[in-house]
Amino acid sequence: MNHRFIVPCLFGLEGLAADELRRMQLEAVAAENGRVSFAGDLSALVRANLRLRTGERVLLEVGSFEAKSFDALFEQTKALPWERWIGKDAAFPVAGHSLNSALFSVPDCQKIIKKAVVERLKSRYHIAWFDESAETVQIRFSIMKDRVSLCLDTSGEGLHKRGYRPAHNAAPLRETLAAAMVNLSRYRGRDDFCDPFCGSGTIPIEAALIARNVAPGLNRHFAAMDWRTLDGGLWQEEKDLARSLEYHGDYRIFASDLDPKAVAMAKANAERAGVADLIRFETADARHFARETERGVIVTNPPYGERIGEKEEAEELYRAFGAAFRGLSNWQLYLLSSHTEFERCFGAEADKKRKLYNGMIKCDLFMFYK
């Protein structure tokens, strides 16, 4: 039986996530603002969770409908087959959001949806009380222009939480965004790769995982692993398939940072990710970057200067790194920054720019080709 799934994404990454899902041979993939949908059986749910690099989570849509009143929301929610997924002792919290809709009160929508699901399960299980002591099946709703989508969260923690970064620096780059930047650079393991502002190592680690084609979710837990309604064997089958698609070669991935503590943290994260042997870390000043290559790509996320008093420092850093980059040969550069005057400070106009969001911070990915 086929189901509809929804993958929320950071704005700007929808097309990349859609391409990933198509490469997984999933069906009916469609990119929308802030999300991608696809269709498939339950093995598709497992595959997407294990292998998707640029999506935030995988939601299984139980139903969708239009509702402009609480009565309509209650009755149509109650009509859906919740017993297929929620056992009589499972917990089923409700969370969600509403935008540009008649039903704008999120707490009220939560209560109505919860009540409707309870009534449906009471009629199916013939019990009056749910102790919710077993596994958790998280219900997520979205209401957009009066269109309601009711889903189950199969991921639990967001897909950006790969499990290799329990510690991070003050301004971490989300793993899904780092993977997107690497994908946009078209790095696939053949060229030299470098991040001279590596911080906690997220970009080079994601580059190593991509180069080796390691599924990013192999070593973490997903909420749907606890569902009694989902065959546990599917997870092992899809893990075995993902491992069979991995590559093994020699890769030239370099990562450096001015802060020795950041470099040590990055090394520890790479160890946890299982790619420490693929990345060469060093303490170095990006303002004097001079690494030679026959063909290479720099993907990096230098400090933005968002805090008071740091803007001038960031601008000086951009100027110095820009001068160093112009002295290089055979490197392409993909640099993420929120600074509105980045190109002026850097001393060159980007060949191409792409709007991306680092959390709530609006950024541009500046692309320089040589």
Side-chain angles (χ1 to χ4, degrees), residues 241-304:
L241 175 59
R243 289 192 177 102
S244 74
L245 299 173
E246 292 180 8
Y247 308 134
H248 299 280
D250 295 321
Y251 306 104
R252 300 177 304 280
I253 302 174
F254 308 96
S256 58
D257 199 280
L258 185 60
D259 183 359
K261 291 182 180 178
V263 174
M265 186 188 304
K267 285 181 180 178
N269 290 340
E271 289 278 359
R272 280 185 285 268
V275 295
D277 59 320
L278 305 185
I279 307 170
R280 292 175 228 179
F281 290 99
E282 63 180 21
T283 302
D285 190 340
R287 293 173 295 183
H288 306 300
F289 186 88
R291 187 176 295 279
E292 295 183 357
T293 185
E294 293 183 5
R295 181 174 173 178
V297 59
I298 299 168
V299 180
T300 195
N301 177 45
Y304 299 161

Side-chain angles (χ1 to χ4, degrees), residues 52-112:
L52 192 59
R53 300 184 192 280
T54 56
E56 292 302 308
R57 59 183 65 248
V58 180
L59 306 176
L60 187 161
E61 188 172 71
V62 180
S64 66
F65 48 83
E66 184 176 285
K68 296 183 178 180
S69 69
F70 287 127
D71 284 343
L73 178 63
F74 178 86
E75 293 299 335
Q76 293 184 85
T77 299
K78 184 182 174 183
L80 296 173
W82 297 101
E83 66 279 3
R84 178 168 186 182
W85 308 104
I86 303 174
K88 57 186 176 182
D89 55 354
F92 47 102
V94 179
H97 63 271
S98 176
L99 294 171
N100 303 321
S101 300
L103 302 179
F104 58 84
S105 171
V106 169
D108 287 336
C109 291
Q110 285 176 292
K111 292 174 186 175
I112 294 295

Side-chain angles (χ1 to χ4, degrees), residues 4 14 35 63 96 169 195 230 232-233 235 258 286 309 323 327 330 349:
R4 185 170 187 259
E14 301 91 343
R35 68 182 199 172
N169 55 7
D195 179 3
L230 184 61
W235 293 96
L258 185 60
N330 307 321
E349 187 174 326

